[in-house]
Amino acid sequence: MEKVPEQCRVEDALNIITGKWKPIILLHLLQEGTQRFSELKQKMPGVTQKMLTKQLRELEEEDIIQRTIYPQVPPKVEYAMTDYGRSLEPILEAMHEWGRNHTLRKRQKQQSPTS
Amino acid sequence: MEKVPEQCRVEDALNIITGKWKPIILLHLLQEGTQRFSELKQKMPGVTQKMLTKQLRELEEEDIIQRTIYPQVPPKVEYAMTDYGRSLEPILEAMHEWGRNHTLRKRQKQQSPTS
DNA sequence: CTCCACGGTATCATAAAAGATACCACACCA
DNA sequence: TGGTGTGGTATCTTTTATGATACCGTGGAG
């Protein structure tokens, strides 16, 4: 998604949190704190090694999360939100809240499809 | 983007507002009120007829915007936010605000890349 | 030796999103 | 009769995102 001139600063946030697994990663890190790779993977059924890695790297790239490698064998890598990353929380909150009402609404529509 | 079990209600909002032109459309409709197709198109340099139509249709599908056709020739079609659509405003606000700080931050990083 | 755990990478295939381009309908106006 | 303006649709191509699959490195346990 390229940038369109003025106004649309909205895109920046959007570019960062869109990606099939990013919101989920962020929620896990926000709600449960630092996690290692394998923990995240386990909590995200369906994700591939590659995809998880990729999304994590992209978030790291943007300074949203921080990657810490422990020089051990077998390897241990932890991911944590940065302070900057935490600044996304209001957005995620707002979306979460909205989403709840949205699903309610969908249910209502199903119950009275004739209206 | 498929749904992943619980927690991630965030996705619903995300699914609705992601799309290369959707945020821009929404901002225009929110900030400037009802607009006709050609007005939007004109305000969104680079968008194709097809793309604009598609994104508008998707938003309409979700009841975020309303499409009104006036039986004239040449045709006149207006797009407006629905009340439901306006409920997205806090999210867009939050992202807009965040985006502003983000660009500030990027500027700072460019000025002191050595830190 | 051999195998395992962990967190990867590399390669290839598929799906989804976006874009370019051409065409359409129709009342009206010259 | 032909051109114009609006808001489209239909095809085809390109670009991005996602996914499947196989392989890698290391040090300790057996």
Side-chain angles (χ1 to χ4, degrees):
Chain A
M1 294 192 196
E2 258 171 69
K3 232 45 41 75
V4 173
E6 298 305 321
Q7 73 209 165
C8 224
R9 305 253 167 277
V10 166
E11 310 254 11
D12 292 320
L14 226 36
N15 287 338
I16 287 177
I17 59 182
T18 56
K20 183 156 170 182
W21 307 97
K22 285 179 193 167
I24 312 159
I25 293 172
L26 295 177
L27 290 180
H28 277 302
L29 293 182
L30 283 170
Q31 289 166 11
E32 300 156 41
T34 302
Q35 306 270 318
R36 46 190 303 193
F37 186 87
S38 43
E39 290 177 302
L40 283 173
K41 193 179 163 196
Q42 188 182 320
K43 289 171 182 172
M44 296 165 55
V47 74
T48 341
Q49 187 99 261
K50 181 197 167 185
M51 266 301 116
L52 184 50
T53 302
K54 195 184 162 208
Q55 308 267 304
L56 287 167
R57 290 292 150 79
E58 288 174 10
L59 290 170
E60 191 195 357
E61 191 76 5
E62 299 281 0
D63 283 321
I64 303 303
I65 65 176
Q66 198 191 13
R67 180 162 174 262
T68 312
I69 309 157
Y70 295 87
Q72 306 178 351
V73 167
K76 174 178 171 185
V77 179
E78 282 186 345
Y79 293 92
M81 294 300 286
T82 60
D83 285 346
Y84 184 51
R86 266 184 278 276
S87 71
L88 285 171
E89 201 159 6
I91 299 178
L92 292 166
E93 274 297 334
M95 293 201 299
H96 188 261
E97 180 57 20
W98 191 90
R100 285 185 23 200
N101 299 330
H102 181 65
T103 60
L104 278 180
R105 199 180 129 94
K106 277 196 294 193
R107 252 179 241 135
Q108 284 164 13
K109 282 182 76 179
Q110 282 171 8
Q111 284 172 13
S112 56
T114 46
S115 69
Chain B
M1 293 191 197
E2 258 172 70
K3 233 43 44 76
V4 174
E6 298 306 322
Q7 73 211 167
C8 222
R9 305 253 167 278
V10 166
E11 310 254 9
D12 293 320
L14 225 38
N15 287 338
I16 287 178
I17 60 182
T18 55
K20 182 154 171 184
W21 306 98
K22 284 180 194 169
I24 312 158
I25 293 172
L26 295 177
L27 291 180
H28 278 301
L29 293 182
L30 283 171
Q31 290 167 11
E32 300 156 40
T34 303
Q35 306 270 316
R36 43 190 304 192
F37 186 87
S38 44
E39 290 177 303
L40 284 173
K41 193 178 163 195
Q42 188 183 319
K43 289 172 183 172
M44 296 165 56
V47 75
T48 340
Q49 188 98 261
K50 181 197 164 183
M51 265 302 117
L52 184 49
T53 303
K54 194 184 161 206
Q55 308 267 303
L56 287 167
R57 290 292 149 78
E58 288 174 10
L59 290 171
E60 191 196 357
E61 190 75 6
E62 299 280 359
D63 283 322
I64 303 303
I65 65 177
Q66 197 190 13
R67 180 165 175 258
T68 311
I69 309 157
Y70 295 87
Q72 305 177 352
V73 167
K76 175 179 173 186
V77 179
E78 282 187 348
Y79 293 90
M81 294 299 286
T82 59
D83 285 345
Y84 185 51
R86 266 184 278 276
S87 71
L88 285 171
E89 202 158 7
I91 299 178
L92 292 167
E93 274 299 334
M95 293 200 301
H96 188 261
E97 180 57 21
W98 191 92
R100 284 185 24 199
N101 299 330
H102 181 66
T103 61
L104 279 179
R105 198 179 128 96
K106 277 196 295 192
R107 248 178 245 134
Q108 284 165 12
K109 282 182 74 177
Q110 282 171 10
Q111 284 173 14
S112 57
T114 45
S115 69

